[in-house]
Amino acid sequence: INYLTHRQEAETLAEKIRNHGGNAIAVQADVADRAAVEAMVRTAEAELGPVSLLVNNAGIAGQIQFQDITDAQWNRYLGVNLGGARNTIQAVLPHMLHEKAGCIVNISSIWGLRGASCEVAYACTKAALVGLTRSLALELAPSHIRVNCVAPGVINTDMVQVLGQETLRALAGDAGGRGPRRCLSGLRQGILPHGANPRRRRRVHRLKTAEQESRAPHGRRPALCYVRPGSGSAWRITRPKQASVRPLPAGSTTSASA
């Protein structure tokens, strides 16, 4: 369990895990500091063994108008929310590549999909995590390493208390409506709440079967799980579109852009 300043909370969580039969330690590190992350991973491997599952949950947020963001604030958002994911992934990836196994979960946000007024820097970094997840999943699929992303809505943590109770209540009330049916990729999706009727369950099952059958032989397409705030448990299935490939004229070169 990584922490920056909340040592007591991290130690308490580690103790709870140990009390339930697990094995856990708390290690202090700033994820924006590459050397600190590498030292943290070495400590974890020495105590618990090689890392086979990584959850990138570290993040910072705040409300500020775009024209008022300083260079230091912009770089800090990028360094923690996006650079932190890069640092931790690169630190644990050598063992995963050697074993051809592993799982990486990046925690994005609904603001990374929708955008958020007065939270441009935060939304940018969370949107970038979605792109990192999709691209890295394709790159690591031949090595049987799964990369997925979860984009939660507003969750009652210390980070969101700066919004104020009135804003939080408004967000919770807005969450009762229908969420977006499509994410950034435009992939077709199916949703299945716990209370879904049998007809909807059969439809989602057919989508799931089609998604499984359409997977490329070398690995899985990256999945994006969208959690609608205040809606209870729900899950979505991505159904990848078939890519078309056309031969290039003789003597031509290729280029890629995102």
Side-chain angles (χ1 to χ4, degrees), residues 176-191:
R178 290 174 61 87
R181 294 297 296 178
R182 295 180 181 270
C183 296
L184 293 179
S185 68
L187 299 178
R188 184 178 179 183
Q189 299 183 14
I191 184 169

Side-chain angles (χ1 to χ4, degrees), residues 150 181 189-196 200-209 211-212 215 223-228 231-238:
V150 179
R181 294 297 296 178
Q189 299 183 14
I191 184 169
L192 181 66
H194 278 301
R200 291 188 66 188
R201 290 182 181 277
R202 288 194 296 270
R203 178 176 177 272
V204 171
H205 176 72
R206 289 195 297 270
L207 287 175
K208 183 177 181 180
T209 302
E211 186 268 341
Q212 290 172 339
R215 287 175 184 158
L224 179 67
C225 174
Y226 166 58
V227 182
R228 204 163 56 225
S231 64
S233 299
W235 51 275
R236 290 193 169 206
I237 303 163
T238 59

Side-chain angles (χ1 to χ4, degrees), residues 52 57 137 165:
S52 58
N57 191 45
Q165 291 302 311

Side-chain angles (χ1 to χ4, degrees), residues 83-98:
R86 183 205 66 167
N87 292 339
T88 55
I89 292 171
Q90 288 186 337
V92 304
L93 199 52
H95 174 76
M96 292 184 179
L97 289 171
H98 181 268

